[in-house]
Amino acid sequence: MVAADLCSLATGVRLHGLWGDVAAQGWDALSPDSLSNFERVESRYSWLGVLEFSALVACAVPFIVWFYRVRRNAELLAPDAHSKARAWAVWGWFVPVVFWWFPRRIALDSWQASLPRTEGDQRRSSTAIVELWWAAWLADQVLANVAGRMYERAEGPGAIQNALALMNVSVILDVVAAVMAALFVHRLTRLQHDAMQGVTATPLAAPEAVAGAPVH
């Protein structure tokens, strides 16, 4: 995802500069080579948008699977420490309105439940990774939506430049969110790995014992 974003950002910055040339000089002042270069950069930018979306889907599917699994693990570690049901670890990303805060709440609950116990059975640790990841992702979603609408409605070179500037900022936020997500995945996975080492599996009772019959 970061690689696709960086390619898109480099091309977006280049396209922003080309539109600046158009705004300053006008189409008639551009040479045939400049026009040809403009078309190539604009075409590349469109294809990179498709690549970014494909990378997002490719990352989102395993991430949501992982997110559900760590939520399930966290319930084993601290059954009473969760404000949202396990199913929301998946559906919370897709249901309108609630996707603005449900995943963050589940991430924080899972993080706290996975922390090592301290004296008095209290779990205390910085949640900066979670908060920075969520803030960057949320800001990216809002800004990308606004920039996309501006780009679709832009008619003059100046307006297109402004939309591209916002889109480039949203890509930077997406890079930050992707890096923080990777750190979040690594850190929470490590926390749960360490915590689960101390969990002793309790064998299930045989069906006969549950029914009250003697076990032979």
Side-chain angles (χ1 to χ4, degrees), residues 133-156:
W133 158 61
W134 189 252
W137 185 84
L138 209 61
D140 169 43
Q141 299 304 304
V142 173
L143 195 58
N145 186 270
V146 172
R149 291 174 182 269
M150 286 179 60
Y151 192 76
E152 291 176 358
R153 298 173 182 175
E155 296 181 357

Side-chain angles (χ1 to χ4, degrees), residues 25-158:
Q25 304 175 22
W27 289 107
D28 295 337
L30 297 181
S31 66
D33 289 342
S34 297
L35 287 173
S36 178
N37 181 52
F38 183 92
E39 292 175 358
R40 285 196 303 271
V41 173
E42 194 167 46
S43 176
R44 187 188 313 144
Y45 190 67
S46 298
W47 279 108
L48 284 170
V50 176
L51 177 62
E52 281 186 292
F53 179 77
S54 301
L56 175 62
V57 173
C59 291
V61 172
F63 179 86
I64 292 175
V65 172
W66 170 85
F67 197 67
Y68 177 82
R69 292 180 65 183
V70 295
R71 168 60 179 82
R72 182 187 60 191
N73 292 343
E75 190 170 339
L76 296 175
L77 296 169
D80 300 326
H82 305 277
S83 59
K84 300 292 181 288
R86 186 190 301 180
W88 285 113
V90 176
W91 297 113
W93 295 97
F94 303 103
V95 176
V97 182
V98 303
F99 60 62
W100 294 114
W101 76 91
F102 269 37
R104 171 187 172 273
R105 184 68 263 165
I106 293 170
L108 288 171
D109 289 346
S110 298
W111 181 274
Q112 293 294 341
S114 305
L115 292 173
R117 295 173 184 270
T118 58
E119 187 177 351
D121 196 31
Q122 297 297 314
R123 302 161 190 261
R124 294 289 184 268
S125 179
S126 172
T127 57
I129 290 178
V130 180
E131 299 291 10
L132 286 173
W133 158 61
W134 189 252
W137 185 84
L138 209 61
D140 169 43
Q141 299 304 304
V142 173
L143 195 58
N145 186 270
V146 172
R149 291 174 182 269
M150 286 179 60
Y151 192 76
E152 291 176 358
R153 298 173 182 175
E155 296 181 357

Side-chain angles (χ1 to χ4, degrees), residues 174-199:
D174 200 47
V175 170
V176 174
V179 172
M180 297 310 301
L183 293 174
F184 169 54
V185 168
H186 175 75
R187 178 62 175 151
L188 182 52
T189 300
R190 175 58 61 184
L191 283 173
Q192 290 203 345
H193 179 271
D194 294 342
M196 295 297 282
Q197 299 304 308
V199 176

